[in-house]
């Protein structure tokens, strides 16, 4: 059974990541859902720009996992998103959510000591999206859809966390992952085919010279469709 968690829904917050961390303060997992963020954070310090109808959600909890296993959290957050939203969402390793080839959402995981905060930003309806982005729905689903999906995602994620790192759904991640089976490139001069995901969540590639390698997300600066 998933551990109990509290949910706070707000109209706007600076970042749900910080709000969830503050709210948890050592007790039950805290979920914070916002319709808008003034200072939403993307990966690598980038701003997170979203659709006019979008949802931001973060879950903060005290982790009992070994620190070395926390690299799996972005991947299981992706599996939780797919289970919640539907199989039209595909996962670009390690943690982008795509519909077709366009980004519909993103996941950010921040861990400090034993506190882990996993955030999901999801574009629901975007009439004039940036070229590489898309909204999930062709029409505005209204203000309740985001919190509904966000709460279901948080519950699914916490359930997967409770199952433990040893039981993470690797095959399900690979099944939903567009990167597997594609040509990928990585800095500085790597190129090869992604053939799967390792037990530790790394990307397994066969290089152009036939060598099998495991890449962490810090190795891969760029993963392109082949
Ligand atoms: C990415 O760069 O693709 C990750 C984006 C993650 C955005 C989400 S929205 C909810 C949570 N709050 C934040 O400030 N960022 C994450």
């Amino acid at each position: 059974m998933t551990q109990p968690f509290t949910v706070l829904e707000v109209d706007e917050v600076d970042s749900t990541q910080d709000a969830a961390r503050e709210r948890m303060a050592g007790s039950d997992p805290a979920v914070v859902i916002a319709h808008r963020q003034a200072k939403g954070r993307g990966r690598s310090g980038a701003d997170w720009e979203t659709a006019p109808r979008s949802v931001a959600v973060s879950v903060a909890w005290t982790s009992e996992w070994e620190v070395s296993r926390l690299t799996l959290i972005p991947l299981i957050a992706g599996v939780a998103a797919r289970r919640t939203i539907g199989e039209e969402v595909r996962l670009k390793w390690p943690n982008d959510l795509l519909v077709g080839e366009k980004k519909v959402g993103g996941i950010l995981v921040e861990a400090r000591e034993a506190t882990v905060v996993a955030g999901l930003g999801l574009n629901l309806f975007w009439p004039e999206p940036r070229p590489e982005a898309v909204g999930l729905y062709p029409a505005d689903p209204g203000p309740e859809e985001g919190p509904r999906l966000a709460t279901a995602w948080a519950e699914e994620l916490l359930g997967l966390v409770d199952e433990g790192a040893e039981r993470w759904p690797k095959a399900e991640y690979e099944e939903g992952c567009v990167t597997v089976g594609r040509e990928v490139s990585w800095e500085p001069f790597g190129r090869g085919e992604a053939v799967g995901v390792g037990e530790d969540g790394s990307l397994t590639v066969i290089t152009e010279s036939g060598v099998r390698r495991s890449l962490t997300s810090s190795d891969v600066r760029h993963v392109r469709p082949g």
Side-chain angles (χ1 to χ4, degrees), residues 29-43:
V31 176
V32 174
I33 300 170
H35 295 266
R36 281 178 300 284
Q37 298 181 109
K39 295 180 186 163
R41 286 199 291 280
R43 283 202 309 277

Side-chain angles (χ1 to χ4, degrees), residues 15-17 37 39-43 48 55-58 96 103 105-108 119-121:
S15 165
T16 54
Q17 294 289 100
Q37 298 181 109
K39 295 180 186 163
R41 286 199 291 280
R43 283 202 309 277
W48 175 242
V55 69
V57 51
S58 296
D96 282 345
K103 184 160 169 168
I107 287 162
L108 177 69
L120 165 70

Side-chain angles (χ1 to χ4, degrees), residues 76-86 89 91 97 107 120 153 156:
I76 69 167
V79 169
R82 225 167 156 249
R83 287 186 185 177
T84 307
I85 301 162
V89 171
L91 307 170
L97 308 183
I107 287 162
L120 165 70
W153 172 76
E156 192 69 48

